[in-house]
Amino acid sequence: MTFQFSDGQPAQTHVAAPGESVLDVALNNGIQLQHNCGGVCGCSTCHVYINSGGDDLPEISDKEEDFIDRAENPRINSRLACQCVVDKDMQLVVTIPPQHFLGH
C-alpha cells in the first residue's frame, strides 16, 4: 500500500496484511491519520482518496457514503480509511488529505 500526502511529504509504501484496514496500516506505520470515532464508521475524520486499487475494496456502504458527504472536499474516489479493508495481493495507492481540522 502506498500512501501519498497532500502536504508534500514523500510517499511511503507499507505491506498490509489481509483483513487490515487502510487506517490500521497507516497507524501501525506511524502515519498520522485522524480517527475521532476510533475507526468504527462513526465520523468522517479518516477520509482519504483512493487513487488506484479501489475496485478491489469492499463496496461502499450507505453509512460510509453518508459520512463521506460530510467530509472536507469529498471526491468521487473518497473513502473512509477505517472501511477500506484489504485482501490478499491488493495494490492500493491512497492520498491522505490535509489533517488540519479538529472534530467533524
Side-chain angles (χ1 to χ4, degrees):
M1 180 178 310
T2 299
F3 290 93
Q4 299 174 332
F5 304 91
S6 58
D7 65 2
Q9 292 180 58
Q12 296 182 28
T13 301
H14 300 284
V15 175
E20 282 188 307
S21 69
V22 170
L23 177 62
D24 294 331
V25 177
L27 297 177
N28 290 341
N29 288 285
I31 296 171
Q32 183 176 357
L33 180 54
Q34 293 192 34
H35 53 288
N36 289 356
C37 73
V40 297
C41 196
C43 69
S44 63
T45 58
C46 70
H47 169 241
V48 295
Y49 303 119
I50 305 296
N51 299 325
S52 66
D55 291 342
D56 296 327
L57 289 170
E59 191 172 321
I60 191 169
S61 68
D62 289 340
K63 183 177 180 183
E64 180 183 359
E65 199 163 3
D66 287 344
F67 280 113
I68 287 171
D69 287 342
R70 301 175 200 172
E72 192 171 308
N73 299 316
R75 299 179 186 165
I76 194 74
N77 63 334
S78 290
R79 292 293 304 261
L80 298 181
C82 68
Q83 297 302 294
C84 296
V85 177
V86 300
D87 201 355
K88 188 171 97 172
D89 300 326
M90 289 178 71
Q91 300 294 318
L92 289 177
V93 178
V94 177
T95 296
I96 298 178
Q99 299 282 293
H100 61 272
F101 56 89
L102 294 175
H104 218 136

